[in-house]
Amino acid sequence: MNIEAVKAIYRAEMRRTRNTLLQSVAAPVISTALYFVVFGSAIGSRIESVDNVAYGAFIVPGLMMLSLLTQSISNASFGIFFPKFTGTIYEVMSAPISFFEILIGYVGAAATKSFILGVLILITATFFVDLRIAHPFWMIGFFLLTCVSFSLFGFIIGLWADNFEKLQLIPSLIITPLVFLGGSFYSVDMLPEFWQKISLLNPVLYLISGFRWSFFEVSDVSVGVSLSMILLFLFACMVIVWAMFKTGYKLKP
Amino acid sequence: MTESTPIISIKGLTKTYDNGHQALKGVDLDIREGEILALLGPNGAGKTTLISTICGLVSPSSGSVTVAGYDIIKDFRKTRELIGLVPQELTLGAFEKVGNTVAFSRGLFGKSPNNKFLEELLNELTLGDKKDSMVQQLSGGMKRRVLIAKALSHEPRILFLDEPTAGVDVELRKDMWNIVERLRQSGVTIILTTHYIEEAEEIADRVGVISGGELLELEEKTALMEKLGKKQLVVELKNSIDAIPAQLSDYGLELSANGTKVTYTFDARKERTGMTALLSDLSQAGLSIKDLNTAQSSLEDIFVDIVKADA
C-alpha cells in the first residue's frame, strides 16, 4: 500500500478546497440559508407541520441531502476531471499506485469536503429552527454513506466526462430534479396517489426518507429499505469504478 | 566485452491503438544501466508511445517490458518507483505552488517527505526563489524546470526525457545537460527522445533510430557514425580546372571554389572507399594536389539516410 501517495492526493485535493473556499463552502451554506428563509420561514409559517414535525425542521434533512449530493458529485467529478483536462493525470497514472489508492485519495478528499459542508449546514440550520436528532448514530451513518457513495458517483462522472458540458449534465439534469422530487421539501404522503407511486421509483427518496427518519422518526419508506438502497448504490458505483480502472477507461489507451 | 544485465529490457513490444493506428511494430531493446540513450525519430515515429508504455501510461498490445528485472504490469509498483518521467507537453496544474506540486510528486511515488532534498533540487534547477510562486505565473522555460524537478523528486534510477528541449532557451538547455551529466555520474540511466540530432550527438552514449514504429538502428554513437557515416574527401588542387576530366567521371566528383576544389563523397561502410584509386587517377589525369581533407557526416545526415531508406 502506497500510503504516501494516498496522503499526497488527499492533501492536494484538500488544498484545492482551501484555495476555493468561497466557492466550495461559503456558496452552499449561503444558498442553504436562503432555503431556510424562503421555505422555512416564509412558506413554513403557513404550513403547520408535516407528520407532527415543524415544517422548518422537517426540511433540514432534505436540504442537507440536496447539498451533500450536488456538492459530493461536483467536488469529486471536478477533482478527477481537471487533471484529465490539463493532462497532469499522467503523473498519477505513471505512479506506483493502485486504482484503489487513487480512489481513496480523490474520493476520500471529496467525501471529507462534503462532510464538513454537511456539518456547516446543520449548524446553520440550528440558527433557524429547533432541531432534535432521534438516532444520532443512524444519522451519522447515513450522512457518511451519502458523502462517500455520491463522491464515488461524482468520480465516475469525472472519469466519463470529456468536456465541461458533460461534467454538468448529470448533476443538473438528473440529480437536482431527483432531489427536489425526492421529498426534500415535502412528505410523499402529501402527493396524489399516482405521484406517490411514481416517487417510489426515485432512488433519492429512499435516501432522504432514511435520513429524515434518523432525525424525527418519520419516514416515507422503512429505514431498512433506505439503508439497503444506499448500500446497493455504493456497491454499484464501486463495481463501475473498478471496471473503469480495469479497462483503463478513457485514462489509458 | 561482457554485457551486464540491462536495466530495461523490451521484447517484441507492439502497440495498436483503438483507432487502428499501429504505433509500435515489435520493438526489441535492451537499455544498459547508467547509459544515456537517445531515441531519434521523426514526429509520429512511436517514440512517445514507447516511453509511455514503459512508464505505464499506455497498455502494450503484446510483448513484454521489464525494469530492473520486474515486469512493468505484474510488478508495476516496483518498476514505476524507479522511473521519473518528464513529459513532452508542459502539463502542470495551474493553481498550485511550485513547492507543493514537487512535494506532491514525491509523495505520489511513495517517498516520505524530505524538504531538504526538494529544496536542493529546486535550487539546482534555479527554482529556489520560485518555491511559493504559482505555477501558472511561470514562463515556459521555468515550467519545464518544474517538470524536471517533479520527475526527479522521488530520486529515480531511470529518467525519461520526452523531447526535453522542444521550445527551450539556450540557457535552460545548457543547464539541462549539466543536470543530465550530474545524474549520469550518480548512476542514473537516462533515455531521451529528440529530433534534434546535435542533442543526441552531444550527450548520448548510444543512439536508437525509430521510424514507423520500428527500431531501425541501435548503435554506440561513435559506431553508428562510423558505420553509417558518409565521409567526404576534399582535394585542393594546385591549378584550377574548368571541368572534371572525363576519365574521372565514375567517381561522381564535385567541383567548387573556382575549379580548385574537388569533393569526393564515399560511404565509410564500404570496405573499399576508392580513395587510393582516386588519388592515383587524379595524378594520372595530370592534376597536382595541394592539400587533402576528410570530413565525417553528422548524425543528422545519417539519420536522414536511414529514415529515407526505410520509407
Side-chain angles (χ1 to χ4, degrees):
Chain A
M1 179 96 179
N2 187 348
I3 299 282
E4 293 295 339
V6 175
K7 280 200 284 193
I9 294 176
Y10 186 85
R11 278 203 202 112
E13 282 300 291
M14 293 311 280
R15 203 159 46 226
R16 197 167 59 82
T17 312
R18 278 198 296 278
N19 293 340
T20 54
L21 212 55
L22 270 180
Q23 183 208 325
S24 34
V25 178
V29 170
I30 289 171
S31 62
T32 310
L34 288 175
Y35 279 119
F36 279 120
V37 172
V38 175
F39 288 96
S41 304
I43 297 174
S45 60
R46 321 230 161 185
I47 302 173
E48 281 192 353
S49 64
V50 182
D51 298 336
N52 296 322
V53 179
Y55 184 70
F58 179 83
I59 62 171
V60 170
L63 279 180
M64 275 182 76
M65 279 294 164
L66 177 64
S67 288
L68 288 184
L69 262 55
T70 51
Q71 289 304 310
S72 296
I73 291 174
S74 95
N75 277 329
S77 62
F78 197 74
I80 188 72
F81 174 81
F82 196 61
K84 241 177 44 166
F85 180 72
T86 58
T88 52
I89 192 77
Y90 85 87
E91 213 180 2
V92 176
M93 297 308 291
S94 67
I97 178 171
S98 70
F99 95 89
F100 190 62
E101 289 154 1
I102 297 176
L103 210 59
I104 298 176
Y106 280 106
V107 174
T112 307
K113 283 177 222 173
S114 302
F115 190 82
I116 294 169
L117 187 72
V119 171
L120 287 176
I121 291 173
L122 201 58
I123 293 169
T124 311
T126 59
F127 289 106
F128 294 91
V129 293
D130 282 328
L131 265 185
R132 61 185 170 90
I133 300 170
H135 303 281
F137 288 108
W138 279 88
M139 180 270 193
I140 294 202
F142 272 116
F143 190 2
L144 277 176
L145 272 174
T146 305
C147 292
V148 171
S149 53
F150 279 84
S151 294
L152 200 57
F153 184 62
F155 191 81
I156 293 171
I157 292 174
L159 280 180
W160 163 77
D162 33 32
N163 57 44
F164 279 96
E165 202 205 347
K166 278 188 178 175
L167 198 62
Q168 303 295 339
L169 205 64
I170 293 187
S172 57
L173 283 187
I174 298 177
I175 299 301
T176 310
L178 284 185
V179 181
F180 271 87
L181 302 175
S184 315
F185 302 108
Y186 55 86
S187 167
V188 179
D189 299 342
M190 296 157 86
L191 294 176
E193 203 176 323
F194 173 74
W195 289 106
Q196 284 190 27
K197 286 197 174 120
I198 295 285
S199 292
L200 289 177
L201 297 173
N202 179 355
V204 177
L205 173 97
Y206 297 87
L207 208 57
I208 295 176
S209 167
F211 198 46
R212 186 172 286 139
W213 173 86
S214 69
F215 280 78
F216 312 120
E217 293 185 299
V218 294
S219 61
D220 292 322
V221 292
S222 86
V223 64
V225 175
S226 289
L227 186 65
S228 317
M229 283 297 279
I230 184 152
L231 287 175
L232 191 71
F233 180 69
L234 180 65
F235 180 73
C237 288
M238 295 269 249
V239 171
I240 293 171
V241 167
W242 178 81
M244 278 175 147
F245 273 98
K246 198 80 189 161
T247 55
Y249 178 83
K250 285 192 184 175
L251 284 175
K252 202 168 167 180
Chain B
M1 198 175 103
T2 52
E3 290 279 311
S4 56
T5 353
I7 183 103
I8 297 178
S9 183
I10 302 166
K11 288 196 172 66
L13 189 66
T14 71
K15 174 63 191 178
T16 307
Y17 286 106
D18 287 343
N19 61 14
H21 172 63
Q22 199 178 1
L24 296 175
K25 300 173 184 164
V27 172
D28 293 283
L29 171 64
D30 279 347
I31 299 170
R32 300 171 196 152
E33 178 143 31
E35 76 171 331
I36 299 181
L37 174 71
L39 295 172
L40 270 176
N43 286 326
K47 304 185 299 278
T48 300
T49 301
L50 179 62
I51 285 190
S52 300
T53 308
I54 303 169
C55 294
L57 296 173
V58 170
S59 319
S61 300
S62 69
S64 71
V65 180
T66 61
V67 176
Y70 297 109
D71 184 82
I72 55 158
I73 293 167
K74 224 171 59 211
D75 302 310
F76 73 95
R77 282 179 198 272
K78 281 177 178 142
T79 65
R80 294 185 193 176
E81 245 172 40
L82 303 172
I83 296 175
L85 166 67
V86 182
Q88 194 172 338
E89 312 277 336
L90 290 176
T91 38
L92 280 166
F95 313 109
E96 272 190 296
K97 287 181 182 170
V98 171
N100 285 339
T101 192
V102 176
F104 170 76
S105 303
R106 184 176 170 88
L108 208 51
F109 281 77
K111 284 273 162 73
S112 52
N114 183 342
N115 287 332
K116 193 168 163 284
F117 172 79
L118 292 184
E119 217 153 274
E120 282 169 13
L121 181 65
L122 289 179
N123 283 334
E124 191 175 14
L125 287 156
T126 64
L127 288 168
D129 57 339
K130 296 280 190 286
K131 198 175 152 225
D132 291 317
S133 303
M134 297 300 267
V135 167
Q136 80 263 37
Q137 291 164 346
L138 300 179
S139 65
M142 282 292 169
K143 282 183 184 159
R144 179 77 62 182
R145 286 169 203 259
V146 175
L147 284 175
I148 298 172
K150 280 164 81 74
L152 293 175
S153 65
H154 63 283
E155 303 160 64
R157 270 173 67 197
I158 302 161
L159 181 66
F160 284 96
L161 296 161
D162 197 0
E163 305 278 353
T165 52
V168 151
D169 58 41
V170 181
E171 200 180 336
L172 173 55
R173 204 157 143 180
K174 230 169 60 193
D175 281 3
M176 195 132 65
W177 297 153
N178 287 339
I179 294 161
V180 164
E181 189 50 44
R182 183 190 60 78
L183 287 171
R184 185 236 287 271
Q185 275 162 20
S186 68
V188 175
T189 309
I190 296 158
I191 297 101
L192 64 107
T193 70
T194 181
H195 40 235
Y196 296 115
I197 282 118
E198 319 86 77
E199 227 163 77
E201 202 165 351
E202 209 174 317
I203 59 161
D205 300 311
R206 286 199 301 166
V207 177
V209 178
I210 297 187
S211 184
E214 285 171 292
L215 187 66
L216 300 178
E217 284 288 338
L218 178 67
E219 284 279 1
E220 302 292 329
K221 182 179 64 187
T222 46
L224 183 73
M225 290 174 69
E226 231 167 69
K227 185 175 155 198
L228 296 177
K230 285 227 173 69
K231 279 196 162 183
Q232 286 190 323
L233 173 69
V234 181
V235 182
E236 219 176 303
L237 303 172
K238 265 189 188 145
N239 307 307
S240 67
I241 52 171
D242 293 334
I244 305 285
Q247 63 262 48
L248 299 175
S249 59
D250 287 349
Y251 290 101
L253 300 175
E254 277 171 65
L255 197 58
S256 61
N258 292 324
T260 56
K261 266 188 192 168
V262 173
T263 306
Y264 170 55
T265 307
F266 60 94
D267 200 332
R269 278 177 287 191
K270 286 189 181 145
E271 215 160 272
R272 288 173 185 277
T273 59
M275 264 194 292
T276 332
L278 174 68
L279 291 177
S280 77
D281 284 354
L282 279 172
S283 65
Q284 265 182 24
L287 303 175
S288 26
I289 297 163
K290 192 176 164 194
D291 197 10
L292 285 176
N293 194 7
T294 65
Q296 184 147 29
S297 55
S298 69
L299 262 178
E300 178 139 17
D301 307 322
I302 298 173
F303 173 65
V304 169
D305 278 357
I306 296 171
V307 175
K308 258 194 204 149
D310 187 58

